[in-house]
Amino acid sequence: MSADPTLERIVQGNGLALCAAGSWTARFAPVLERMVADAEKLRGSRPNIFIDVSQVSKLDTFGAWLIERLRRSLTDGGIEAKIAGLSANYSSLVDEVRRVKAEPVVETRSVTITGMLEQIGRSVAGVGGTLVGLIEMLGAVLSAAGHVLIRPRGFRLTSTVHHLEQVCWRAVPIVVLITFLIGCIISQQGIFHFRKFGADIFVVDMLGVLVLREIGVLLVAIMVAGRSGSAYTAELGSMKMREEIDALRTMGFDPIEVLILPRMLALVMALPILAFLGAMAALYGGGLVAYLYGGVEPEAFLLRLRDAISIDHFIVGIIKAPVMAAVIGIVACVEGLAVQGSAESLGQHTTSSVVKGIFFVIVMDGVFAIFFASIGM
């Protein structure tokens, strides 16, 4: 018997037999792929198709999968291709491949108004579930904070300082650089358009109000959501996959108090600091461009800035920062604890954490804008 694999076609009345022989192993992968691809074109040509593997001398997982793939390809309508002559040595291997590789049949349904309404309802229910999860996490964090206030010795100071360094200190360079560039761009565009009306100096008013009230804290919060929020989700998700969180519960520790509370505190403390540094960098960048591009002297820039802004603008921006930090942290932790036992799940929830974090940050900024406008700030 030759070791080279073959796949012979034998016509028997209305039936067709595909006789496999030789060594069906990964060693002959290119040859086997070509033979199976040619045989798959016979789908629907005969009402009865059999795959005879009685002459197969060697069979590994690769060969078993090709035989199973061929059987599925030849199956047409209610007629199923059958595998015949399978020896006892290889039957379990083929059965295992058939069971593991089986894919659920997706039923195709026509698009109807009822189906569209059902999909909308499911999406709304999913949004409701997300909000419930966020509220539950907020309650758990507040409960853990209450336990720490009652028992201060349980507070994880070392962990909090470590996360504060990761979230705040290590984020300073990128935050300062990005906000500096944004300040430069806002100033340049403002001067370019105000110059048409001979009002170059009004760019200072625009820059000061935008940076201190809106752009500064919002831009920093978005960067923190992409940088630290994703890191929190990935860390907690990896712990969930390795069952480290279950191990903490087994040892009698509260994962919220040990893992999440220090991260939340670090984020709430870090974002106001980063927002302040970012605002200062943006104002400096705007002033530099105003001097180099618009000819606005630094003294005139500072005098105009002092008249254009007040302490209320600074307070509005700083008040937003810890609330946005709490939202980012809660979203990141909820997504991290929702990770299942696969790398794909980890990637999906990390992406979802960033998207949801940025979305809720923008929503909160809009809510704050309406609130402060209503109270005259």
Side-chain angles (χ1 to χ4, degrees):
M1 183 181 298
S2 174
D4 294 337
T6 59
L7 186 61
E8 185 180 358
R9 306 173 189 178
I10 301 177
V11 178
Q12 299 174 345
N14 292 331
L16 175 66
L18 298 176
C19 300
S23 179
W24 280 60
T25 60
R27 176 185 173 188
F28 301 96
V31 177
L32 292 172
E33 287 279 2
R34 287 195 298 270
M35 289 192 304
V36 171
D38 292 339
E40 286 175 341
K41 300 176 182 177
L42 300 173
R43 180 189 179 194
S45 61
R46 299 281 177 171
N48 298 313
I49 299 179
F50 297 91
I51 304 174
D52 184 6
V53 295
S54 59
Q55 300 301 316
V56 174
S57 58
K58 291 183 180 180
L59 183 69
D60 60 4
T61 306
F62 178 79
W65 164 240
L66 285 181
I67 293 173
E68 174 61 19
R69 193 186 84 180
L70 179 59
R71 185 193 67 81
R72 296 182 188 179
S73 298
L74 296 176
T75 299
D76 187 15
I79 303 174
E80 182 179 0
K82 297 181 180 180
I83 300 176
L86 192 64
S87 65
N89 295 332
Y90 300 135
S91 60
S92 60
L93 178 59
V94 174
D95 291 340
E96 186 69 21
V97 170
R98 180 178 301 177
R99 181 170 59 254
V100 173
K101 295 292 183 179
E103 298 179 357
V105 178
V106 180
E107 296 182 0
T108 58
R109 296 181 297 177
S110 59
V111 179
T112 61
I113 296 178
T114 304
M116 295 174 61
L117 293 176
E118 179 185 357
Q119 187 63 33
I120 293 174
R122 292 182 183 277
S123 300
V124 173
V127 172
T130 299
L131 294 177
V132 170
L134 296 179
I135 294 173
E136 289 179 350
M137 178 58 69
L138 176 61
V141 171
L142 293 177
S143 176
H147 291 162
V148 168
L149 290 176
I150 296 174
R151 298 180 292 103
R153 294 185 61 182
F155 178 60
R156 306 279 171 169
L157 179 61
T158 304
S159 178
T160 304
V161 173
H162 167 73
H163 291 298
L164 186 61
E165 178 195 5
Q166 297 293 324
V167 174
C168 184
W169 176 249
R170 295 184 182 273
V172 168
I174 186 64
V175 168
V176 169
L177 175 61
I178 297 298
T179 51
F180 172 82
L181 295 175
I182 292 296
C184 293
I185 295 171
I186 293 175
S187 181
Q188 187 273 333
Q189 288 294 304
I191 292 173
F192 177 77
H193 291 284
F194 286 149
R195 181 173 290 171
K196 300 176 183 178
F197 310 99
D200 298 20
I201 193 65
F202 284 104
V203 72
V204 181
D205 301 59
M206 180 186 69
L207 183 67
V209 174
L210 276 179
V211 167
L212 292 180
R213 290 183 67 99
E214 299 294 337
I215 299 297
V217 63
L218 181 62
L219 187 63
V220 171
I222 290 174
M223 286 191 288
V224 169
R227 181 183 181 275
S228 303
S230 60
Y232 284 3
T233 303
E235 290 170 2
L236 294 174
S238 299
M239 294 179 186
K240 183 76 178 296
M241 292 170 61
R242 295 196 295 263
E243 299 182 352
E244 295 177 15
I245 296 178
D246 294 334
L248 283 175
R249 291 194 180 97
T250 302
M251 292 186 292
F253 294 103
D254 182 12
I256 305 295
E257 185 175 330
V258 174
L259 300 175
I260 296 178
L261 184 60
R263 288 175 166 82
M264 291 289 298
L265 290 176
L267 204 56
V268 170
M269 289 187 291
L271 194 52
I273 299 173
L274 294 175
F276 173 77
L277 295 176
M280 295 302 104
L283 291 176
Y284 180 80
L288 183 62
V289 170
Y291 172 65
L292 297 177
Y293 181 75
V296 180
E297 295 292 333
E299 294 81 4
F301 182 89
L302 292 175
L303 289 174
R304 185 69 187 183
L305 184 64
R306 185 183 64 182
D307 296 335
I309 64 174
S310 65
I311 190 64
D312 288 344
H313 296 99
F314 176 76
I315 291 175
V316 167
I318 291 300
I319 288 177
K320 293 179 181 180
V323 178
M324 291 181 176
V327 170
I328 293 169
I330 289 173
V331 170
C333 294
V334 168
E335 292 296 328
L337 295 179
V339 173
Q340 303 300 320
S342 67
E344 181 182 6
S345 175
L346 179 61
Q348 290 175 348
H349 284 284
T350 302
T351 303
S352 178
S353 170
V354 176
V355 173
K356 290 180 181 178
I358 294 175
F359 171 78
F360 282 112
V361 161
I362 296 175
V363 170
M364 292 302 301
D365 186 70
V367 172
F368 273 116
I370 296 173
F371 171 74
F372 286 122
S374 65
I375 64 176
M377 288 186 67

